[in-house]
């Protein structure tokens, strides 16, 4: 999933200051799972903003609404019926959601309420961790299911570096060294010899070779 | 001075090599580099110039190496993969060779979070092993990454680092083997205080025949005080300082601590000299260049060989 965290309320208030009729727009997918932009969080943010406006004697109307996926046009189109009532949208979608809404409604300002963080996993109550950079050429087979790009602080493909001690990363002793994990897992499969050959430099053109990436699937285009 | 690496000549001749470290200034004054050159000239075979060590902005390693070269020293250009992508790295390799620099030490580099530019983007396009391999291909096959041919290849003695004290121990030797396979002609190790652990690692390397394929230089750093020892032990990851070393430093009066640090360092060098597979020593006296001459002399490593 894509993870995100809410921006500080003061930053949000500054961005919405010029507008009087605002729709706080939640998203029911990833950001709901990571408790930053789902229906519940959208309701809470909208009330907090209304409260702050009231205390400061500001004349604004803030409504709320949550759609299933802000990053999919089929869902964004639901806004068609209500959009005219607002002079700005405060999106609690991820960066992709914000842009999908902005793309569909070019005449309405769309303001991000979240800081989009990473592609990751829900590890437990209130804990999310980064696990994929979307490099476009997955190497998880070679590295026993541990991504050295997302989880090694130096993106090493021939690790571990000289700072790996007691299974912890030199950059942050709270964080496990990805390379220790790779070695541990490969040795469980009896496949440590996979690490004896020099892993070649990464082909970054698959990630950022020619600007923004696009997937075209003709079989899906009917 | 001839056009070859002095360091390589010494090692190939079978002499116990001595290198030291020169940190470039946080400024643009070439005089600082030249002063260090003056202090160390004749005391060492080659002088490593650090590349924005601990991610702190300093005069570029390439420029400082060039200054050392004109002062008649044999510089070792340290290059980290943290700040430059493969285009910049390969380009600087060509530039270094053109300036007469004959040694390069390929490193990952300390993470940017540790320095004075924590907001910088860490590049890490290549890792240190891939970088060694790329430089070797440039030198030996005259090609850059991707296979394009160079009009003339760089002439460089290629080195890499090894940390016998990081984990996991068994894999440290695998990684050493990979660095050698990639093309590391010499290896400089992390500072050695725990000689037992170092020997365990070295024996594993000897067993695999690795010490026949590269020149290993043991890293040493003279301690200035027990405080410095504790700081390094606790704050520098991958640094292994046994408690008895710290106790030894604590056991002498304050005004004798530097002397004791130098004594420990000399004893370490003498032990290293006896170990088969260790071909030299790399003295990292951080901002204490004066100590190097004394250490080298006390370890009986003077005069340094001269080649015509
Ligand atoms: S190798 Fe690439 S695609 Fe696979 S998990 Fe890592 S970043 Fe994601
Ligand atoms: S300690 Fe491990 S995870 Fe951290 S940078 Fe080094 S190899 Fe990567």
């Amino acid at each position: 999933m894509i993870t995100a965290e809410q921006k500080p309320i003061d930053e949000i208030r500054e961005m919405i200051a010029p507008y009087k009729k605002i729709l706080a727009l939640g998203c029911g997918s990833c950001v709901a799972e990571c408790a930053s932009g789902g229906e519940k969080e959208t309701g809470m943010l909208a009330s907090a903003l209304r409260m702050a406006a009231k205390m400061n004697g500001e004349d604004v109307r803030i409504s709320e609404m949550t759609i299933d996926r802000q990053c999919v046009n089929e869902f964004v189109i639901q806004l068609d019926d209500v959009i005219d009532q607002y002079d700005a949208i405060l999106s609690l979608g991820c960066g992709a959601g914000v842009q999908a809404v902005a793309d569909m409604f070019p005449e309405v300002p769309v303001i991000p309420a979240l800081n989009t963080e990473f592609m990751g996993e829900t590890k437990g109550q209130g804990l999310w961790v980064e696990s994929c950079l979307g490099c476009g050429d997955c190497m998880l087979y070679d590295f026993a299911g541990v991504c050295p790009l997302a989880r090694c602080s130096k993106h090493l493909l021939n690790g571990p570096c000289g700072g790996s001690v007691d299974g912890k990363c030199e950059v942050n002793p709270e964080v496990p060294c990805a390379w220790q994990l790779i070695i541990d897992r490969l040795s469980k499969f009896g496949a440590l010899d996979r690490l004896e050959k020099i892993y070649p430099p990464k082909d970054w053109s698959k990630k950022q070779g020619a600007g923004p990436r696009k997937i075209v699937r003709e079989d899906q285009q009917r | 001075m001839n056009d070859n690496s002095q360091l390589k000549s010494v090692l190939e001749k079978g002499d116990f090599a001595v290198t030291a470290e020169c940190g470039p200034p946080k400024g643009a004054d070439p005089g600082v580099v030249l002063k260090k050159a003056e202090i160390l000239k004749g005391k060492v075979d080659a002088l490593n110039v650090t590349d924005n060590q601990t991610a702190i902005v300093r005069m570029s390693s390439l420029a400082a190496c060039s200054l050392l070269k004109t002062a008649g020293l044999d510089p070792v250009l340290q290059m980290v993969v943290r700040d430059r992508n493969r285009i910049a790295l390969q380009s600087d390799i060509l530039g270094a060779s053109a300036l007469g620099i004959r040694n390069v030490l390929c490193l990952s580099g300390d993470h940017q979070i540790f320095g004075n530019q924590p907001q910088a983007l860490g590049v890490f396009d290549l890792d240190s092993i891939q970088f060694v391999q790329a430089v070797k291909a440039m030198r030996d096959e005259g090609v850059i990454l991707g296979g394009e041919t160079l009009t003339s290849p760089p002439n460089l003695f290629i080195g890499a680092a090894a940390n016998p004290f990081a984990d996991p121990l068994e894999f440290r030797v695998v990684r050493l083997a990979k660095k050698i396979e990639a093309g590391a002609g010499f290896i400089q190790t992390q500072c050695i205080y725990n000689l037992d652990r170092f020997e365990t690692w070295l024996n594993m390397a000897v067993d695999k025949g690795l010490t026949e394929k590269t020149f290993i230089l043991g890293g040493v750093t003279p301690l200035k005080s027990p405080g410095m020892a504790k700081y390094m032990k606790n704050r520098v990851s991958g640094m292994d300082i046994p408690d008895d070393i710290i106790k030894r430093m604590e056991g002498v009066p304050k005004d004798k601590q530097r002397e004791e640090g130098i004594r420990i360092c000399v004893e370490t060098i003498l032990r290293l000299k006896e170990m088969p597979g260790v071909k030299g020593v790399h003295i990292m006296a951080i901002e204490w260049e004066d100590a190097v001459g004394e250490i080298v002399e006390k370890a009986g490593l003077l005069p340094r060989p001269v080649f015509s």
Side-chain angles (χ1 to χ4, degrees):
Chain A
M1 110 193 88
I2 309 288
T3 61
E5 287 180 287
Q6 217 168 79
K7 284 178 176 289
I9 190 123
D10 290 344
E11 186 185 343
I12 296 175
R13 275 181 45 76
E14 223 170 274
M15 290 188 292
I16 62 171
Y19 308 106
K20 297 280 170 248
K21 291 171 286 172
I22 299 159
L23 176 64
L25 181 65
C27 174
S29 295
C30 306
V31 291
E33 168 60 28
C34 68
S36 55
E39 193 168 10
K40 186 169 143 218
E41 296 77 28
T42 303
M44 279 159 52
L45 177 62
S47 334
L49 289 170
R50 278 191 293 260
M51 184 98 75
K54 204 169 156 199
M55 278 169 58
N56 288 282
E58 296 158 3
D59 172 30
V60 291
R61 185 161 61 80
I62 299 167
S63 317
E64 56 200 71
M65 173 179 175
T66 298
I67 58 177
D68 281 349
R69 298 204 209 309
Q70 264 187 50
C71 59
V72 178
N73 277 351
E74 279 166 54
F75 295 92
V76 182
I77 199 86
Q78 293 169 18
L79 293 175
D80 231 9
D81 302 335
V82 297
I83 193 98
D84 291 343
Q85 307 165 32
Y86 303 102
D87 51 20
I89 292 181
L90 176 64
S91 163
L92 288 88
C94 72
V98 174
Q99 294 179 69
V101 175
D103 242 14
M104 188 164 289
F105 302 104
E107 64 291 344
V108 188
V110 184
I111 296 154
L114 305 184
N115 290 322
T116 302
E117 308 276 344
F118 50 78
M119 269 188 272
E121 308 155 43
T122 306
K123 273 289 181 224
Q125 288 282 329
L127 176 65
W128 295 271
V129 295
E130 181 165 23
S131 38
C132 174
L133 290 193
C135 74
D137 183 13
C138 192
M139 310 175 288
L140 284 175
Y141 169 74
D142 296 311
F143 300 113
V146 178
C147 176
L149 297 177
R151 295 173 67 182
C152 164
S153 307
K154 297 180 185 170
H155 301 183
L156 302 180
L157 300 184
N158 294 282
C161 78
S164 173
V165 175
D166 294 333
K168 301 295 180 207
C169 174
E170 69 166 40
V171 173
N172 181 350
E174 308 263 290
V175 171
C177 166
W179 270 92
Q180 181 74 56
L181 298 175
I182 291 169
I183 290 168
D184 291 349
R185 277 183 68 89
L186 279 176
S187 70
K188 275 192 199 110
F189 311 148
L192 255 190
D193 54 337
R194 248 182 245 169
L195 298 183
E196 278 173 22
K197 73 169 203 320
I198 296 170
Y199 208 90
K202 181 76 183 161
D203 177 1
W204 285 109
S205 72
K206 298 250 171 45
K207 182 167 166 68
Q208 43 170 232
R213 291 176 284 177
K214 174 160 86 176
I215 298 172
V216 183
R217 284 270 306 274
E218 272 164 24
D219 60 327
Q220 298 287 310
Q221 301 175 328
R222 266 155 290 147
Chain B
M1 177 171 257
N2 61 22
D3 193 38
N4 286 321
S5 155
Q6 170 84 1
L7 176 62
K8 187 165 178 249
S9 305
V10 171
L11 288 166
E12 284 179 348
K13 190 169 152 254
D15 276 317
F16 193 79
V18 182
T19 58
E21 200 135 299
C22 165
K26 273 191 203 167
D29 179 8
V32 180
V33 178
L34 294 171
K35 183 153 175 272
K36 291 187 180 183
E38 208 176 291
I39 296 171
L40 293 163
K41 200 168 177 180
K43 311 274 196 273
V44 296
D45 304 312
L47 199 48
N48 280 36
V49 183
T50 49
D51 182 4
N52 299 297
Q53 197 173 22
T54 59
I56 287 176
V57 177
R58 290 175 180 276
M59 180 190 290
S60 87
S61 173
L62 186 57
C65 280
S66 184
L67 290 168
L68 291 179
K69 179 80 189 176
T70 44
L73 279 97
D74 184 31
V76 178
L77 173 70
Q78 293 197 0
M79 288 179 81
V80 301
V81 298
R82 176 193 61 224
D83 310 323
R84 277 162 291 193
N85 70 7
R86 64 191 81 181
I87 300 173
L89 288 170
Q90 293 179 99
S91 155
D92 280 351
I93 285 290
L94 297 175
S97 184
L99 288 169
I101 294 160
R102 291 290 170 257
N103 313 289
V104 62
L105 187 75
C106 306
L107 306 168
S108 319
D110 304 304
H111 196 273
Q112 62 276 10
I113 204 79
F114 294 118
N116 59 8
Q117 308 290 315
Q119 294 172 337
L121 176 70
V123 177
F124 301 108
D125 180 21
L126 301 181
D127 63 30
S128 59
I129 294 182
Q130 293 161 345
F131 183 29
V132 168
Q133 202 174 33
V135 180
K136 183 181 185 329
M138 290 172 83
R139 181 191 65 194
D140 296 350
E141 294 155 47
V143 293
I144 52 170
L145 285 169
E148 248 178 67
T149 316
L150 294 165
T151 51
S152 62
N155 173 9
L156 286 160
F157 187 36
I158 308 166
N163 186 357
F165 310 104
D167 291 324
L169 174 60
E170 303 73 43
F171 203 74
R172 289 292 138 197
V173 185
V174 175
R175 211 163 123 83
L176 174 66
K178 283 173 84 166
K179 289 196 171 178
I180 295 168
E181 189 198 327
F186 69 99
I187 296 284
Q188 288 177 337
T189 76
Q190 174 67 287
C191 313
I192 304 164
Y193 296 100
N194 184 344
L195 276 154
D196 294 337
R197 164 106 179 204
F198 179 74
E199 255 188 311
T200 311
W201 173 84
L202 187 69
N203 290 338
M204 289 165 78
V206 171
D207 287 347
K208 290 202 166 188
L210 298 177
T211 49
E212 299 301 311
K213 295 185 188 151
T214 195
F215 297 105
I216 294 179
L217 310 185
V220 292
T221 290
L223 294 167
K224 285 180 181 166
S225 65
M228 172 184 172
K230 281 186 215 154
Y231 177 85
M232 283 166 67
K233 183 188 173 91
N234 299 326
R235 303 292 293 278
V236 183
S237 59
M239 186 74 74
D240 182 349
I241 308 187
D243 290 336
D244 51 327
I245 296 274
I246 295 173
K247 285 209 193 86
R248 231 182 110 172
M249 290 298 291
E250 281 169 343
V252 293
K254 224 172 168 174
D255 60 332
K256 295 266 188 292
Q257 284 172 345
R258 287 186 172 218
E259 235 170 82
E260 189 67 13
I262 288 180
R263 195 170 304 130
I264 295 172
C265 188
V266 170
E267 287 168 17
T268 308
I269 295 175
L270 295 177
R271 285 275 305 273
L272 291 173
K273 258 178 97 177
E274 297 307 313
M275 294 183 195
V278 178
K279 301 293 160 52
V281 68
H282 177 54
I283 305 166
M284 293 166 270
I286 305 143
E287 294 304 315
W288 192 16
E289 284 79 16
D290 292 325
V292 175
E294 190 181 337
I295 292 167
V296 176
E297 193 186 344
K298 289 191 167 146
L301 296 169
L302 288 181
R304 300 310 309 151
V306 182
F307 300 90
S308 52

